[in-house]
Amino acid sequence: MSATTDSAARGGTRGARTLLRVKRPGRLAAEAVALLIAVAVAFPLYWMVLSAFKPAGEIQSTDPRPWTLAPSLDSFRRVFEQQDFGRYFLNSLLVAGTVVIASALIAFLAATAVTRFRFKFRTTLLIMFLVAQMVPVEALTIPLFFLMRDFGQLNTLGSLILPHLAFSLPFAIWMLRGFVKAVPEALEEAAYIDGASRTRFLWQILFPLVFPGLVATSVFSFITTWNDFLFAKSFIISDTSQSTLPMALLVFFKPDENDWGGIMAASTVMTIPVLVFFVLVQRRLVSGLGGAVKD
């Protein structure tokens, strides 16, 4: 019996090794393709940072090289010496932070409502969330401009917060709906039996469980708001003190010759908060994109 068992075990081991040898070429090919895609995605970022540190002579050279032997901080110095650059940076943080927090809270409550409650036009409302995602932002810019003018919001940060909040909510609600739905109703019933109120269940039990989904939607809201140029250019007309960071790039675009070093340095500075935000939420982001809570 022991010899038979050992023979079967050796046979199973050989079979597993054979299966690994068969799968290995395909796995190597997949890893190679993934590596090439990663390099293709990362190369523009590398070139942006490299150009930010290059001296003016190397940037304007007709023989560009993917390295520099004389890194310089002159481009960054021009960026930080720009008037009101700090104000633009704080305005961007205020707008993006407000949109992220407000959209997360509203989307959480709305997703809970459309998932846990049955009411008239519920399905119609969910379909409208999808339809709202299909409308191009450019097609709504002019109507939004007149709407902000009628409400007296032009040249204010509110004209940037409200549109981005409206555009981020449909995606956030639709995504969070899956997370809320994945929380078993038995858990809610058990909480009520133990004496928990609806408010307590909502914020102390349900909210932590769907928090990874909130992080995933917050990343989307933060990136779209932080990088916005269209609304900032359309709604902030005369009061430059209300401008955001993307508007600071316009200073380096000149009629005679663009300051590409300043453009790349300012773009690098703009990228740093996004990277910091990703580092802070990366663990929650992975679990949020991977799936929701399972019963």
Side-chain angles (χ1 to χ4, degrees):
M1 178 67 70
S2 177
T4 304
T5 304
D6 293 343
S7 177
R10 287 194 295 270
T13 303
R14 286 194 297 270
R17 291 176 179 175
T18 302
L19 183 61
L20 288 176
R21 285 196 295 269
V22 172
K23 289 186 176 181
R24 188 170 182 80
R27 183 177 180 181
L28 289 176
E31 292 177 351
V33 172
L35 180 61
L36 290 176
I37 294 175
V39 171
V41 172
F43 183 77
L45 297 176
Y46 166 75
W47 196 263
M48 176 186 69
V49 176
L50 176 66
S51 300
F53 284 98
K54 277 185 175 182
E58 292 188 19
I59 295 178
Q60 299 173 358
S61 174
T62 57
D63 184 22
R65 299 178 179 178
W67 67 81
T68 179
L69 300 178
S72 174
L73 296 176
D74 290 339
S75 298
F76 290 96
R77 189 175 298 110
R78 292 196 303 274
V79 169
F80 289 109
E81 289 177 352
Q82 178 189 342
Q83 186 179 4
D84 293 332
F85 183 83
R87 180 184 293 274
Y88 294 164
F89 189 86
L90 293 177
N91 288 343
S92 292
L93 282 180
L94 178 60
V95 173
T98 303
V99 171
V100 166
I101 295 175
S103 64
L105 294 178
I106 297 174
F108 169 65
L109 297 175
T112 303
V114 298
T115 304
R116 296 299 189 186
F117 301 101
R118 300 293 183 268
F119 52 89
K120 195 175 182 180
F121 301 120
R122 173 174 169 269
T123 304
T124 304
L125 184 63
L126 291 174
I127 295 176
M128 289 178 60
F129 290 153
L130 290 179
V131 173
Q133 294 295 107
M134 302 177 186
V135 180
V137 177
E138 294 78 7
L140 297 176
T141 302
I142 295 178
L144 285 173
F145 173 85
F146 289 111
L147 183 64
M148 294 300 166
R149 185 197 62 181
D150 295 339
F151 280 97
Q153 292 296 313
L154 291 180
N155 293 314
T156 65
L157 295 181
S159 64
L160 305 180
I161 294 174
L162 293 176
H164 282 293
L165 183 60
F167 280 106
S168 62
L169 279 177
F171 170 80
I173 294 173
W174 188 266
M175 185 170 183
L176 287 178
R177 176 176 171 269
F179 283 86
V180 176
K181 189 175 182 180
V183 177
E185 294 185 4
L187 181 62
E188 183 177 357
E189 296 174 356
Y192 293 154
I193 293 175
D194 291 339
S197 63
R198 187 178 297 275
T199 302
R200 184 177 181 182
F201 170 78
L202 187 68
W203 295 108
Q204 295 187 8
I205 299 176
L206 184 61
F207 184 82
L209 292 177
V210 302
F211 187 74
L214 286 171
V215 172
T217 57
S218 297
V219 170
F220 169 80
S221 301
F222 182 84
I223 292 177
T224 55
T225 306
W226 182 264
N227 295 328
D228 170 63
F229 179 82
L230 180 61
F231 290 159
K233 180 65 175 176
S234 302
F235 301 153
I236 307 298
I237 303 173
S238 57
D239 190 0
T240 57
S241 63
Q242 302 298 312
S243 297
T244 52
L245 201 55
M247 297 295 294
L249 294 176
L250 294 179
V251 178
F252 301 102
F253 287 91
K254 301 177 181 179
D256 50 350
E257 184 178 2
N258 296 327
D259 184 0
W260 290 111
I263 294 172
M264 295 302 174
S267 301
T268 302
V269 173
M270 285 183 57
T271 306
I272 292 176
V274 179
L275 296 178
V276 172
F277 186 74
F278 266 105
V279 171
L280 294 177
V281 303
Q282 59 176 339
R283 293 184 179 179
R284 296 286 186 175
L285 178 62
V286 171
S287 58
L289 295 177
V293 180
K294 295 183 179 179
D295 189 3

